[in-house]
Amino acid sequence: MDGSDVRPTLAEAVSWLSRCEALPHDVETKARLLLLDTFGCLVAGLGHPEVRRFGQALRFAFPGDTTWPGSDIKLGLSGMAALGAAAACWDEACEGHAPSHGRPGLPVVPALLALAASHEITLSDLLLALATGYEIGARAGEAWRIPAGWHVDGSWHSLGVAAAVARMTGGPARIGPAIEAAACQIPASLYLPITAGSVLRNTYPAHAVLLGIMAAAAANADFAMPHGALEEARRRVLQAPSTAAVTLAGRWTILDGYLKLYAAVRHTHYGIEAALRLRRRPNFSVRKINAIKLDVYPEAVQYCGNRAPRTAIQAQFSLSYAIAAALVIGDLGPEAYADVGSPTITRLESLVTVEANPMRIQRSAQLSIDLDGTIITESIDDIPGDASNPTRMDQVVAKFRRYTEPALGQQRAKALMSFILHGDSTKPARRCLLDG
């Protein structure tokens, strides 16, 4: 055996991360951006009535005195983390990582911020724990390839939360045991709520937070853990025939993660970008549109094939709605889902034909529009956030301000932004992040 058939494992990544005592400069910079972006999505999400009702309901099981910025709902730390995770994904504007087909940072950020709210944890320690959770979550996502009909949120994310919380509360030696504890009970989350138009899907990251916190507590309690739980789960639950291949230890997957500019599932963004470019063409008019055709990679259709959406979450997972809304509004922020039944958007959505092109191996799309008999076309091979087109800091800052200033005001939002991006990493995250 020459070793060419040996695959990198999650255990090797755990060993590497356990030895890491400080983040490289580029990794810390990306972790700060990820923290800022997810925090902004969280603050915006807290403003939805459904999120408020969820938070109020959590008070029965998680009474406490801590609150998120812009919110008056007092909870214990675990309840606060669960509420934050649900809020962060509510507008479908949070980050992601294409190779893992999910959002490794989504539940990790609210879990760490919530725990930091009542403890003297430095920003440096929080960022190291965040990067640790992201790296484990991304690799778990690479390994946990779900079948059609399932949803990624709430499943492998719990491993990332377990790793991050264990590092921050118990130290590097607890990372491995916490991951094993979470992997022994990794959930299977259904896509069904989205099809039904239910916001129940948004509680999946909250479940991952609670499971991850519990797994870290079990590791900190010195519970004896089995080994190879994730592979055992893959064999039994996914019926996977072989060991998973994950990113090699030592490579920071967080650098490959994307930050969204649009509030919709990432698969829709290629069509959105094409629509916005076509909208800027001379003589463009929504009234002239007779037909729209989207040629896109098959996975996008599998995940975002919802037609004629009736609720916001259905629209967030709809290629046709995303294109129609972008053409009408000229943007796709959270406001695009305030009136899913808009007659103008509904008319355009009905004109969209979506074709899954098996020849598109990479994420990409081509959009063609019939304007009174004239066909205009735009092809998109990369979008902001892709490896070839990283999201710029100014774009992330503009998004954070847009998402947080209505709830926090300009001064408080600016103070939070300044600390997260440029603040002294030896200062307590509790005071600077949550107290404004």
Side-chain angles (χ1 to χ4, degrees):
M1 180 181 295
D2 62 4
S4 60
D5 60 342
V6 176
R7 298 183 174 192
T9 66
L10 192 63
E12 292 169 342
V14 171
S15 178
W16 159 57
L17 291 165
S18 298
R19 297 191 305 270
C20 180
E21 298 179 352
L23 297 177
H25 177 72
D26 57 342
V27 176
E28 178 180 328
T29 299
K30 185 61 177 287
R32 285 177 182 258
L33 279 175
L34 174 63
L35 178 60
L36 181 78
D37 188 71
T38 307
F39 195 29
C41 293
L42 187 161
V43 171
L46 289 169
H48 291 279
E50 302 96 328
V51 179
R52 286 190 54 81
R53 294 200 299 269
F54 182 54
Q56 294 289 357
L58 285 170
R59 293 180 65 191
F60 183 85
F62 302 100
D65 296 315
T66 54
T67 62
W68 287 109
S71 173
D72 60 358
I73 299 174
K74 296 181 179 181
L75 290 162
L77 299 186
S78 292
M80 182 184 176
L83 175 62
C89 71
W90 207 269
D91 291 316
E92 197 57 43
C94 51
E95 53 82 31
H97 180 252
S100 64
H101 295 247
R103 294 92 69 90
L106 165 58
V108 173
V109 168
L112 295 180
L113 285 175
L115 295 180
S118 296
H119 297 86
E120 291 298 312
I121 296 167
T122 67
L123 178 60
S124 177
D125 286 341
L126 188 147
L127 292 171
L128 181 57
L130 169 55
T132 298
Y134 191 101
E135 294 304 317
I136 293 300
R139 287 167 173 81
E142 291 171 346
W144 195 256
R145 285 266 97 90
I146 62 171
W150 290 19
H151 194 285
V152 294
D153 286 356
S155 57
W156 52 261
H157 295 82
S158 57
L159 277 70
V161 176
V165 173
R167 168 151 223 158
M168 196 163 76
T169 60
R174 306 297 186 184
I175 297 173
I179 292 169
E180 297 289 2
C184 281
Q185 45 203 313
I186 188 168
S189 306
L190 295 180
Y191 187 89
L192 179 63
I194 296 167
T195 304
S198 169
V199 294
L200 178 66
R201 190 290 310 245
N202 295 333
T203 66
Y204 291 178
H207 184 200
V209 161
L210 296 176
L211 176 54
I213 290 174
M214 184 278 297
N220 290 337
D222 286 324
F223 286 7
M225 301 295 179
H227 296 288
L230 183 61
E231 284 303 323
E232 178 75 2
R234 291 181 70 253
R235 288 191 293 270
R236 292 185 178 275
V237 179
L238 300 181
Q239 299 182 344
S242 60
T243 301
V246 300
T247 298
L248 189 69
R251 178 186 170 94
W252 292 96
T253 62
I254 192 172
L255 297 176
D256 302 323
Y258 58 78
L259 302 177
K260 293 181 180 179
L261 296 186
Y262 307 123
V265 175
R266 182 67 168 183
H267 297 303
T268 68
H269 287 211
Y270 298 86
I272 293 169
E273 189 69 26
L276 294 177
R277 292 185 187 182
L278 290 175
R279 194 177 187 273
R280 294 192 288 268
R281 295 279 186 93
N283 300 319
F284 175 88
S285 170
V286 169
R287 293 188 298 272
K288 296 180 181 179
I289 297 177
N290 296 319
I292 305 170
K293 178 182 176 182
L294 176 68
D295 183 290
V296 71
Y297 56 99
E299 186 186 18
V301 180
Q302 174 187 323
Y303 211 57
C304 302
N306 294 318
R307 298 305 305 257
R310 304 178 308 279
T311 67
I313 196 164
Q314 288 175 326
Q316 290 168 353
F317 283 75
S318 173
L319 291 161
S320 51
Y321 182 88
I323 290 168
L327 288 171
V328 172
I329 301 171
D331 183 25
L332 206 76
E335 302 83 2
Y337 307 103
D339 182 14
V340 173
S342 162
T344 305
I345 295 177
T346 298
R347 182 187 80 84
L348 288 192
E349 192 274 336
S350 69
L351 299 177
V352 178
T353 300
V354 179
E355 294 188 3
N357 185 347
M359 299 301 293
R360 291 189 180 275
I361 307 300
Q362 304 295 326
R363 295 187 177 192
S364 60
Q366 182 181 77
L367 187 66
S368 301
I369 298 179
D370 181 340
L371 290 178
D372 283 345
T374 299
I375 307 299
I376 58 175
T377 301
E378 186 73 45
S379 294
I380 302 294
D381 294 321
D382 64 55
I383 54 177
D386 284 353
S388 59
N389 187 10
T391 311
R392 302 190 312 271
M393 182 177 291
D394 66 298
Q395 293 174 313
V396 180
V397 166
K399 177 185 171 185
F400 180 80
R401 294 184 59 182
R402 175 182 179 180
Y403 279 50
T404 59
E405 286 183 358
L408 305 182
Q410 291 184 0
Q411 184 175 353
R412 192 176 186 192
K414 182 178 180 180
L416 290 171
M417 178 182 65
S418 177
F419 175 75
I420 293 173
L421 291 182
H422 309 295
D424 183 349
S425 63
T426 65
K427 288 187 177 181
R430 175 188 60 79
R431 176 170 55 86
C432 298
L433 287 177
L434 301 180
D435 294 341

